[in-house]
Amino acid sequence: MGSPFVQSSLPLILDRADRLPLHLQLAEQFRAAIRDGRLAAGHRLPSTRDLAKDLSVSRSVAQAAYDQLHAEGWIEGRTGAGTFVTDVAPLQPAVRRRAATRPDPAEPLLTLRPGIPYIGPTPDPGWRRAWREVSTQSPPPGYDDAAGTPALREALAEHVRRVRGIACGPENLLITNGTVHGLRLLLTVTRQPGDRIAIEDPGYLNAVIAARDHRLEIVDVPVDEDGLQVSALTDDVPAAYVTPSHQYPLGGRLPVARRNELIRWARRTGAMLIEDDYDSEFRYDVAPLPALAQLDLDRVVHLGTLSKTLSPSLRLGWLVASDTMVDRLATFRAESGDWPGWPMQAALLTMLRDGYLDQAIRRSRRLYSDRRTHTCTVLAPYGQVIGQDAGLHITLLLPEHVDDRQVAVAGREAGVVVAPLSEYRRTTPGPPGLVIGYATPSTENLHKALDILTDVLSRR
Ligand SMILES: Cc1ncc(COP(=O)(O)O)c(C=O)c1O
């Protein structure tokens, strides 16, 4: 880091440890100086050569910063005379006042990307207890059960019956390394290259990538505020991947009538339904809806995960299916050697038996409920908030003229990472938007991040 001075004693500070590229750091500091009047209209800027020398950066960094400022209209080149500040100083006084809430450029980026739960700074007693108990046991001899340890399958079957109402026993349970692992296993064992699979559009990118990797033909099915448009499914598609508890990313909760229609479609056509139940533990002030697997375990493969309740870094989840399907998958796994290790399975067993998982979910629910309310209130003036009844994220639909990818770029420059809705769209058109996760940061950082984001949005 250094703090050289250019003309007018304007201090420019570049931080090489920052994730924001140097030219963007430089451009932002010029912008700020022009906005608050330290660089007045008509002021001549140093040449890129002098600026680069002053700051000990390459000339291309200085040139890229000037190019950016040129493109945005802050500065102009006059042939033979140099580069000057244009007459833009009176712009956006509201933005100028709020700029003070932005983090220092040296601070790490705040993330509002969806999907990651809050992890507190110190581990809970329940977590520590589980691992202490694992450490007192010797690992089982041999290769253990490829479907998962029998004791954990028993305990998880009880959990799934209780919280999701699915009539299942240990023979219906297979322990996975999370949703995507379960999905890929299922595709490997049950699909052939060229088979068709229906996937929600917009939808979960990793499911799309898994289907592409298996060389499946993806059929894009539109989604509305209630979730998958079941009536758009055709009879020639033998499998469908869906997120009925909280459509990803739009957040609809598939109404009972559509769930029944979906099951009827699968029964009539013989199709397999893959139910991604990634964040059903979180719902706010709304009644539970039946899992698809509760309605017909012969037609549905249900995928659950610890990624939203405890942490995605645990890489643990479960698959619930008919016993014949579980046997088929376990046989494949016994040959491939690809199943979760015993220590993590043993720890989860203790967490289930001690009630730690339930307790962690209850606590997170309370925390997220407040954050969700705050996020919806703060963002409501900037668009239409949808998908707020469940999960760990909301979606903000933006006016048609706004480019959501540009908002994401501007957000990143200002210190906050958000996901543009267009990132999740394939062929079905729809309004621009932002998919905003409110779980990951501390409450204080969430407030900061939303301040920055609303600042960015108010300039669109
Ligand atoms: C729709 C959806 N499904 C599943 C997951 C979790 O996947 P995994 O259990 O593999 O971590 C996520 C995480 O972001 C998700 O958004």
Side-chain angles (χ1 to χ4, degrees):
M1 191 178 313
S3 58
F5 288 72
V6 285
Q7 288 178 324
S8 318
S9 301
L10 175 69
L12 294 168
I13 301 175
L14 295 181
D15 181 359
R16 288 180 164 75
D18 196 304
R19 279 198 277 169
L20 196 64
L22 293 178
H23 71 280
L24 294 181
Q25 292 184 34
L26 199 51
E28 178 48 30
Q29 291 179 54
F30 273 115
R31 255 187 237 111
I34 297 170
R35 266 197 232 107
D36 65 20
R38 279 177 294 148
L39 283 180
H43 188 101
R44 183 167 183 270
L45 295 183
S47 68
T48 51
R49 185 196 303 271
D50 289 347
L51 183 61
K53 196 157 154 257
D54 239 359
L55 297 171
S56 307
V57 294
S58 74
R59 200 165 159 197
S60 62
V61 169
Q63 187 62 55
Y66 277 14
D67 287 349
Q68 178 75 30
L69 294 165
H70 257 297
E72 294 171 12
W74 296 97
I75 61 175
E76 63 191 0
R78 294 187 201 148
T79 321
T83 304
F84 294 83
V85 176
T86 53
D87 188 15
V88 291
L91 276 182
Q92 305 159 348
V95 173
R96 238 184 286 148
R97 271 201 302 281
R98 299 187 66 158
T101 63
R102 286 183 194 176
D104 185 289
E107 275 185 22
L109 291 168
L110 300 165
T111 186
L112 294 178
R113 276 194 80 88
I116 314 286
Y118 176 69
I119 311 286
T122 40
D124 300 326
W127 170 265
R128 288 204 298 268
R129 200 165 45 241
W131 287 102
R132 262 200 313 275
E133 196 172 316
V134 175
S135 73
T136 64
Q137 304 167 51
S138 300
Y143 280 87
D144 216 350
D145 191 325
T149 66
L152 178 59
R153 292 166 70 199
E154 184 84 56
L156 259 179
E158 188 280 324
H159 176 80
V160 169
R161 280 197 304 271
R162 180 165 51 81
V163 302
R164 296 306 279 132
I166 302 171
C168 62
E171 67 283 5
N172 303 113
L173 256 291
L174 184 108
I175 313 302
T176 66
N177 289 127
T179 314
V180 176
H181 182 241
L183 174 64
R184 283 179 172 260
L185 170 70
L186 188 65
L187 297 182
T188 304
V189 174
T190 66
R191 304 290 106 187
Q192 296 295 323
D195 281 357
R196 309 181 86 204
I197 183 167
I199 301 187
E200 298 158 336
D201 183 14
Y204 181 40
L205 286 178
N206 284 349
V208 172
I209 293 167
R212 285 191 188 137
D213 285 351
H214 284 81
R215 287 186 267 138
L216 304 183
E217 186 191 325
I218 298 173
V219 178
D220 298 339
V221 186
V223 167
D224 60 24
E225 64 283 2
D226 283 336
L228 182 84
Q229 292 185 17
V230 178
S231 57
L233 285 168
T234 53
D235 286 1
D236 53 355
V237 181
Y241 159 91
V242 282
T243 51
S245 70
H246 191 222
Q247 200 278 327
Y248 194 81
L250 293 187
R253 301 175 73 233
L254 202 67
V256 172
R258 277 204 208 171
R259 285 174 196 246
N260 292 341
E261 192 188 343
L262 189 54
I263 295 286
R264 274 197 296 274
W265 170 81
R267 284 183 182 158
R268 191 181 70 248
T269 61
M272 172 197 282
L273 290 172
I274 305 168
E275 176 176 37
D276 180 351
D277 200 50
Y278 66 107
D279 69 1
S280 67
E281 290 84 356
F282 302 105
R283 91 189 122 71
Y284 314 96
D285 315 322
V286 286
L289 289 164
L292 288 180
Q294 182 181 340
L295 301 174
D296 191 339
L297 202 50
D298 286 326
R299 295 260 59 92
V300 180
V301 175
H302 175 95
L303 299 167
T305 182
L306 289 184
S307 288
K308 312 295 158 187
T309 50
L310 294 184
S311 167
S313 59
L314 303 183
R315 304 314 305 137
L316 209 68
W318 50 91
L319 177 154
V320 189
S322 68
D323 50 356
T324 33
M325 177 64 79
V326 168
D327 278 350
R328 245 178 110 187
L329 300 175
T331 303
F332 175 85
R333 284 221 305 211
E335 291 156 3
S336 68
D338 178 23
W339 67 89
W342 168 80
M344 191 57 243
Q345 295 195 56
L348 177 59
L349 176 60
T350 308
M351 290 176 206
L352 286 166
R353 280 192 182 149
D354 284 1
Y356 172 67
L357 182 61
D358 287 339
Q359 182 200 325
I361 292 171
R362 275 198 302 276
R363 199 184 37 211
S364 302
R365 232 181 243 152
R366 283 195 296 273
L367 181 71
Y368 297 157
S369 171
D370 290 347
R371 292 186 183 183
R372 173 197 75 119
T373 307
H374 178 74
T375 306
C376 293
T377 310
V378 168
L379 293 177
Y382 299 92
Q384 186 191 353
V385 175
I386 59 169
Q388 68 271 47
D389 289 339
L392 316 179
H393 75 267
I394 56 103
T395 295
L396 178 69
L397 298 181
L398 294 169
E400 287 292 346
H401 71 273
V402 177
D403 180 335
D404 54 15
R405 287 178 196 262
Q406 276 180 13
V407 174
V409 170
R412 180 176 275 275
E413 279 181 27
V416 64
V417 185
V418 283
L421 177 57
S422 53
E423 216 174 71
Y424 301 88
R425 294 196 188 281
R426 299 191 300 281
T427 54
T428 312
L434 298 175
V435 185
I436 292 168
Y438 46 79
T440 319
S442 65
T443 303
E444 189 193 341
N445 279 344
L446 173 68
H447 289 210
K448 266 196 217 165
L450 288 171
D451 268 356
I452 295 171
L453 183 61
T454 50
D455 189 0
V456 168
L457 287 168
S458 64
R459 284 186 266 142
R460 296 287 129 184

